[in-house]
Amino acid sequence: MKAKDISGQAPGGKRTKLADVLPLKTPYVVQIFPVYACNFKCKYCIFSISKEKRGFISDKALMDLDLYKKCVDDMFEFPEKIKVLRFVGIGEPLLHKDIVEMIYYTVCKGIALKTELLSRLVVSLQGTSKKIYKDVCGADIDMDKFLRNLRYFYEHKKNTEMYLKIVDTALDGEADKEKFFKLFGDICDTIAVEHTVPIHSNIDYTDILLEKKGKVTQFGLPVNELDICSQPFFTMQVNPDGKVVPCYSFEYPGIMGDCNKEKLTDIWNGTEFAKFRRQILERKKNEVCKNCNISKYRSFPEDSLKDDAERLKTYYKDNLK
């Protein structure tokens, strides 16, 4: 197998101890959520349930290209380059008709060290056969054509890292896991088996999760109960309607700002974000945060702020009203 197996590791590589670098004037990660739509209905994802059960996601399904360019121009004003600009969210980014122009504009502006979909293409697989794909996500797929397309991209790409991953619940035992590595291990740079974790409150995972449920994170690491969520301190997400949320939760704990009316730099360093971060450090969780499993199942040991909470509070005080 040509690819490096990174199962059980942080997909982005070695992580910095977050507490040592806070506060950040420039976020490490900005997630752009360009499309609230998906052509799959994976049974572990919110697209498997009706829209009215998902709660508020976005006022718009598609991000306007002009709004996106405005956000990129805003990000150019951060004092440092963003480590990773990631096209992701609650939907499939490649469904956006302007996704190529979005990526091109981002790269031309040089605002990020890495732009995922260009510097790094992440392909989430849902099975090793047409039958499994149909069972997991309700989609019919021409597996031979799919493999040919992936191979073509891998053989013709230049500097893009190609990362193929699959969740454990889309595999039918150890033999199927071996088949996964055999099928895809020679047509990507990195490869991994990740774990389905119960991060959507409105989905019943009883018959979905395997025997390791609750014991490992999405990335296969031991679960570490964090009472302080680290995500708002290093990342933010821009939704299709321009609203900015402070984390990867599907039930938003708050709206930090609106890119239609404010600069992204002002939102990141602004009062709403500072208040929210301080509340987290003081362990004053709102109802969304109390019921959220994201930090539990998608965090890393380097993200822990437990031992530094008191010291960090001072950084999120001066600009509070």
Side-chain angles (χ1 to χ4, degrees):
M1 183 173 74
K2 296 179 181 178
K4 179 181 178 181
D5 182 5
I6 59 172
S7 303
Q9 304 175 36
K14 186 178 179 180
R15 296 174 72 85
T16 301
K17 189 175 186 300
L18 185 60
D20 292 346
V21 294
L22 294 181
L24 296 175
K25 292 297 183 183
T26 302
Y28 276 173
V29 181
V30 175
Q31 290 204 158
I32 299 295
F33 170 14
V35 182
Y36 176 33
C38 191
N39 52 342
F40 283 2
K41 293 184 178 180
C42 299
K43 54 190 178 182
Y44 53 83
C45 175
I46 66 169
F47 281 100
S48 66
I49 61 178
S50 59
K51 194 170 183 179
E52 60 270 15
K53 293 181 180 179
R54 301 174 198 167
F56 173 74
I57 302 295
S58 175
D59 289 323
K60 297 183 66 173
L62 292 173
M63 179 179 284
D64 293 335
L65 181 59
D66 287 343
L67 175 61
Y68 176 73
K69 289 182 176 180
K70 187 261 184 190
C71 290
V72 172
D73 293 343
D74 288 350
M75 285 184 265
F76 189 77
E77 297 185 15
F78 278 122
E80 299 176 4
K81 287 191 177 185
I82 295 160
K83 288 185 179 294
V84 180
L85 181 74
R86 180 176 293 147
F87 288 91
V88 71
I90 308 171
E92 172 49 62
L94 293 179
L95 292 178
H96 200 295
K97 60 184 178 63
D98 296 318
I99 193 67
V100 173
E101 188 169 353
M102 287 176 164
I103 296 171
Y104 180 75
Y105 191 80
T106 306
V107 174
C108 287
K109 286 289 183 176
I111 59 167
L113 297 177
K114 290 184 179 181
T115 301
E116 288 200 351
L117 280 186
L118 183 65
S119 304
R120 186 167 179 256
L121 177 67
V122 180
V123 182
S124 297
L125 302 163
Q126 308 303 331
T128 60
S129 68
K130 178 184 178 73
K131 180 179 180 300
I132 296 176
Y133 253 88
K134 183 69 173 180
D135 178 58
V136 171
C137 60
D140 290 308
I141 185 171
D142 183 333
M143 203 67 187
D144 291 335
K145 182 179 180 180
F146 183 44
L147 282 164
R148 288 197 304 271
N149 288 343
L150 291 174
R151 183 177 296 279
Y152 180 88
F153 182 89
Y154 177 68
E155 292 176 349
H156 291 82
K157 71 182 181 68
K158 294 183 180 180
N159 298 322
T160 303
E161 177 198 343
M162 191 172 178
Y163 173 40
L164 302 188
K165 63 175 182 172
I166 196 169
V167 288
D168 53 355
T169 54
L171 293 171
D172 187 16
E174 285 299 314
D176 198 36
K177 181 177 177 180
E178 291 180 14
K179 180 182 178 181
F180 162 69
F181 286 113
K182 185 176 181 180
L183 278 176
F184 300 101
D186 289 334
I187 54 174
C188 60
D189 300 294
T190 50
I191 192 169
V193 175
E194 294 187 353
H195 299 264
T196 301
V197 288
I199 56 175
H200 304 301
S201 61
N202 291 322
I203 294 178
D204 184 358
Y205 288 90
T206 304
D207 297 324
I208 300 176
L209 300 182
L210 300 183
E211 68 276 4
K212 290 184 179 180
K213 69 176 182 178
K215 297 180 181 179
V216 295
T217 68
Q218 176 182 332
F219 310 105
L221 301 171
V223 167
N224 182 18
E225 294 281 359
L226 297 181
D227 62 347
I228 299 176
C229 179
S230 62
Q231 290 181 6
F233 295 88
F234 72 88
T235 188
M236 62 177 165
Q237 177 174 291
V238 185
N239 287 359
D241 55 9
K243 292 182 175 65
V244 174
V245 294
C247 59
Y248 308 151
S249 171
F250 296 89
E251 292 86 25
Y252 306 141
I255 303 295
M256 301 295 105
D258 187 340
C259 291
N260 293 284
K261 305 172 183 176
E262 307 163 82
K263 285 189 175 183
L264 207 56
T265 46
D266 291 339
I267 295 173
W268 176 255
N269 294 304
T271 300
E272 288 302 315
F273 237 134
K275 283 182 179 179
F276 185 69
R277 292 172 183 134
R278 186 171 178 86
Q279 287 171 0
I280 291 175
L281 292 171
E282 292 175 344
R283 296 170 173 83
K284 295 178 181 178
K285 297 181 179 180
N286 61 31
E287 287 304 310
V288 171
C289 294
K290 287 178 182 178
N291 297 310
C292 182
N293 277 331
I294 295 286
S295 62
K296 178 178 179 179
Y297 289 111
R298 295 192 66 181
S299 62
F300 300 91
E302 296 88 347
D303 298 341
S304 177
L305 302 178
K306 180 180 178 181
D307 297 332
D308 298 88
E310 288 301 317
R311 173 179 63 84
L312 293 173
K313 286 179 187 178
T314 61
Y315 296 123
Y316 304 101
K317 180 179 181 180
D318 292 344
N319 60 343
L320 300 184
K321 294 181 181 179

